[in-house]
């Protein structure tokens, strides 16, 4: 036995279907395929073909979208302790390799999430793969390598590690110059419930994309879309959980005095207000939060209870938010009467 002889070769039938069709050269060696055999199989018009550097497609036809995705991850994944071999299946991951420090992002990721505004996988010229910044990895073939200082926790979609939707959106938007395409992507992300507007804006800010006018315009539409959806959920919360009808979208003023601020819902008899916290993480976030805090403090000094609710809480825990508002309404009888304020339509 020489140092090139694989120890305990694993038969190809032990792998799941897609992993029998796309393997690295190191994995093939681990399965007993010699370099000479590999070269023979990958000859022109041979039964195998090189899909990417050190990644082999074990049939002669065009790769499927699934094969392209697995091939991209095999190319980009961090090597295991055995040189050139991506992490092997474990008891917890029996059906294929663990793609360490690599995940699908960009338009391919959004298509995997089910976005209708993205192209089919096979029509994409390239597939974006996100890896840590320190990795020495070059783009190759149809794989575009994107780097990040902090790798996010991936989500598993169809058995593949995929970047979270906000990060995948930012990576997709970075390469798009069509304002309408950007707007469609951001709007679908919020309307279909994939993520909250604030999370998208946070990623776009970190990617330094908010200096592009077409992105800023799309973000403005996104925030308007997010507020509209949150308002609809607030109406539904009041209706479905039997809360008293408030007055909607009002401004409060002291009689003959200053403007106290706008509110999304207000119960005058109980002096309870609800305001949607739809702040987006932009550069003026601290100043905007200070304005929120000053407004709340001023209203509560007047005896008005203010309940702040985020769109995310309305989406994920509508019943719990209704209970919070109901508790505030019930507690109003135990408080001193609030100051008289003028309620005006906003």
């Amino acid at each position: 036995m020489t140092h090139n002889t694989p120890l305990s070769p694993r038969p190809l039938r032990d792998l799941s279907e897609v992993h029998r069709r796309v393997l690295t050269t190191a994995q093939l060696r681990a399965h007993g395929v010699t370099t000479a055999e590999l070269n023979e199989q990958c000859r022109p018009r041979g039964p195998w073909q090189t899909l990417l550097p050190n990644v082999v497609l074990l049939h002669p036809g065009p790769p499927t979208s699934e094969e392209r995705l697995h091939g991209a991850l095999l190319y980009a994944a961090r090597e295991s302790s055995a040189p050139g071999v991506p992490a092997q299946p474990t008891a917890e991951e029996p059906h294929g390799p663990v793609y360490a420090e690599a995940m699908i992002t960009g338009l391919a990721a959004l298509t995997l999430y089910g976005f209708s505004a993205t192209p089919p996988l096979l029509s994409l010229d390239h597939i974006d793969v996100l890896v840590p910044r320190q990795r020495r990895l070059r783009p190759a073939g149809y794989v575009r390598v994107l780097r990040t200082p902090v790798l996010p926790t991936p989500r598993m979609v169809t058995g593949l590690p995929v970047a979270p939707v906000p990060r995948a959106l930012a990576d997709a938007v970075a390469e798009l110059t069509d304002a309408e395409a950007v707007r469609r992507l951001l709007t679908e992300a919020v309307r279909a419930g994939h993520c909250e507007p604030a999370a998208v804006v946070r990623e776009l800010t970190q990617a330094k994309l908010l200096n592009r006018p077409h992105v800023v315009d799309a973000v403005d539409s996104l925030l308007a879309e997010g507020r509209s959806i949150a308002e609809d959920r607030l109406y539904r919360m009041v209706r479905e959980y039997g809360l008293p009808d408030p007055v909607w979208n009002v401004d409060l003023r002291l009689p003959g005095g200053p403007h106290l601020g706008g509110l999304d819902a207000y119960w005058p008899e109980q002096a309870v207000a609800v305001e949607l916290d739809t702040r987006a993480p932009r550069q003026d976030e601290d100043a905007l939060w200070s304005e929120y805090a000053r407004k709340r403090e001023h209203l509560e000094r007047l005896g008005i209870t203010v309940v702040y609710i985020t769109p995310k809480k309305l989406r994920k825990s509508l019943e719990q938010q209704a209970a919070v508002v109901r508790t505030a309404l019930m507690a109003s009888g135990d408080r001193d009467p609030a100051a008289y304020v003028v309620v005006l339509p906003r």
Side-chain angles (χ1 to χ4, degrees), residues 20-31:
R20 287 199 299 268
R21 302 195 306 263
V22 187
L23 290 169
T24 66
T25 55
Q27 286 172 326
L28 286 167
R29 285 195 296 272
H31 289 289

Side-chain angles (χ1 to χ4, degrees), residues 107 110-111 114-119 176 180-181 183-186 188:
L107 288 173
L110 299 179
T111 298
F115 275 62
S116 62
T118 54
L176 295 176
E180 181 59 23
R183 188 193 64 77
R184 284 199 304 268
L185 282 180
L186 300 189
E188 182 174 356

Side-chain angles (χ1 to χ4, degrees), residues 227 234 237 260-265 267 272-279 288-300 304-314 317 320-322 324-325 328 346:
R227 167 162 274 281
L234 184 59
M237 181 191 80
L260 299 173
L263 299 168
D264 293 288
W267 288 262
V272 171
V274 166
E275 184 162 11
L276 292 172
D277 181 359
T278 55
R279 289 173 299 129
L288 187 56
W289 175 244
S290 296
E291 180 184 336
Y292 270 74
R294 284 194 301 270
K295 175 180 174 181
R296 180 173 189 166
E297 183 180 350
H298 191 180
L299 290 174
E300 292 190 343
I304 298 172
T305 299
V306 183
V307 178
Y308 282 97
I309 302 179
T310 65
K312 183 176 182 179
K313 288 180 178 178
L314 282 175
S317 56
Q320 182 180 352
Q321 302 315 304
V324 170
V325 174
R346 183 163 59 174

Side-chain angles (χ1 to χ4, degrees), residues 227-248:
R227 167 162 274 281
S228 176
I229 292 172
E231 288 175 346
D232 286 344
R233 288 179 179 144
L234 184 59
Y235 298 148
R236 200 178 90 204
M237 181 191 80
V238 170
R239 182 178 66 252
E240 291 185 2
Y241 292 96
L243 297 174
D245 287 332
V247 288
W248 297 102

Side-chain angles (χ1 to χ4, degrees), residues 88-96 98:
Q88 293 298 306
T90 65
E92 292 76 21
E93 298 283 349
H95 301 300
V98 179

Side-chain angles (χ1 to χ4, degrees), residues 61-115:
T64 65
S65 58
E66 185 183 24
E67 290 166 348
R68 293 178 86 225
L69 290 166
H70 282 277
L73 288 167
L74 282 174
Y75 171 73
R78 178 178 55 79
E79 295 177 351
S80 68
S81 56
V85 184
Q88 293 298 306
T90 65
E92 292 76 21
E93 298 283 349
H95 301 300
V98 179
Y99 298 116
E101 295 188 354
M103 64 188 72
I104 304 297
T105 190
L107 288 173
L110 299 179
T111 298
L112 285 170
Y113 280 118
F115 275 62

